[in-house]
């Protein structure tokens, strides 16, 4: 995407990319990357037959972000974290930011991108409020609720409701397997979410860059530096 290359050109040392799947982020020569995902390469081939399987990364750490498995990577163990178009899929985005902070070394960078709903199939959905996200964090939510996926289906998969004999529960299960978008932001609300999370959790992060979505770049990109 438009600003991602410049942001990742700053990366040095040994890092981790979350949810790379078939779109691993290029990093500068000398930097090394391990990969964290919810499923290994073989499982991804089965779950996403439409992808170019030759481009799927070999996953080093298989874990569940919603179960806070990212912490198993180790405290202050990486120089950078890349998470492109992952945070909108998880049950607890506040906890994900907290865990990225946990594994970053002092001086380390986090490059986080999310889609702006105005430019995606989510455009008819309601924005996710910070109060909603904070309540899920305080409750220790570890699973995306069926209601999140029902909201996805009502606005993105409307056709499933046209067949009176269709089992909507099966469609929800399909959304869960594919980890469809649980939360929805635009550029303004995403930046506000990240900044408010930093403030409330007292995270030692400085926002180095924040690029809102534009007509030719539909993602929001933020670069955070651990103090």
């Amino acid at each position: 995407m438009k600003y991602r290359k410049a942001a990742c050109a700053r990366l040095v040392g040994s890092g981790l990319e979350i949810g790379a799947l078939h779109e691993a982020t290029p990093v500068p020569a000398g930097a090394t990357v391990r990969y964290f995902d919810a499923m290994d390469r073989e499982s991804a081939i089965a779950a996403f037959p439409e992808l170019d399987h030759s481009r799927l990364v070999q996953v080093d750490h298989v874990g569940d972000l919603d179960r806070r498995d990212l912490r198993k990577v180790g405290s202050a163990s990486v120089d950078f974290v890349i998470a492109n178009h992952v945070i909108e899929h998880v049950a607890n985005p506040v906890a994900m930011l907290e865990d990225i902070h946990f594994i970053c070394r002092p001086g380390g960078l986090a490059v986080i991108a999310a889609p702006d709903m105005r430019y995606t199939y989510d455009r008819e959905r309601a924005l996710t409020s910070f109060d909603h996200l904070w309540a899920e964090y305080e409750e220790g939510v570890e699973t995306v609720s069926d209601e999140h996926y029902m909201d996805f289906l009502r606005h993105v998969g409307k056709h499933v409701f046209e067949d009176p004999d269709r089992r909507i529960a099966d469609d929800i299960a399909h959304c869960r397997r594919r980890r469809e978008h649980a939360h929805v932001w635009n550029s303004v609300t995403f930046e506000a979410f990240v900044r408010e999370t930093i403030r409330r959790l007292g995270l030692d992060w400085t926002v180095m860059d924040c690029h809102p979505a534009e007509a030719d770049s539909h993602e929001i990109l933020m670069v955070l530096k651990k103090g």
Side-chain angles (χ1 to χ4, degrees), residues 60-112:
D60 301 285
H61 301 277
V62 176
D64 188 341
L65 292 172
D66 293 330
R67 303 282 178 176
R68 310 202 68 167
D69 288 343
L70 192 57
R71 289 186 167 237
K72 295 178 181 178
V73 174
S75 173
S77 61
V78 299
D79 295 305
F80 61 87
V81 175
I82 303 168
N84 292 322
H85 296 257
V86 174
I87 199 165
E88 65 271 18
H89 300 273
V90 304
N92 198 329
V94 173
M96 178 178 164
L97 290 181
E98 185 175 44
D99 292 345
I100 290 175
H101 182 272
F102 176 81
I103 67 172
C104 267
R105 296 186 179 110
L109 297 180
V111 179
I112 302 171

Side-chain angles (χ1 to χ4, degrees), residues 160-171:
V160 305
F161 299 102
E162 297 171 359
D163 181 357
D165 298 321
R166 192 176 185 117
R167 279 176 45 84
I168 300 301
D170 292 339
D171 293 298

Side-chain angles (χ1 to χ4, degrees), residues 5 34 39 42 51 58 73-74 94 108 141 144 148 153 159 173 176 195 216 220 225:
K5 183 176 180 181
R34 291 174 292 158
M39 59 184 74
E42 290 68 32
L51 298 183
Q58 196 64 48
V73 174
V94 173
V141 168
V144 176
H148 284 84
L153 291 171
H159 65 281
R176 190 174 298 282
R195 289 185 181 276
D216 59 344
I220 313 141
K225 183 174 182 178

Side-chain angles (χ1 to χ4, degrees), residues 1-11 25-28 111 219 221:
M1 295 293 182
K2 185 173 181 179
Y3 297 106
R4 211 187 287 179
K5 183 176 180 181
C8 290
R10 305 177 183 181
L11 302 178
T25 302
V27 297
V111 179
E219 72 177 15
L221 183 77

Side-chain angles (χ1 to χ4, degrees), residues 15-17 20 24-25 33-37 57-62:
L16 185 78
E17 181 164 9
T25 302
V33 187
R34 291 174 292 158
Y35 297 99
F36 181 104
D37 215 318
V57 301
Q58 196 64 48
V59 178
D60 301 285
H61 301 277
V62 176

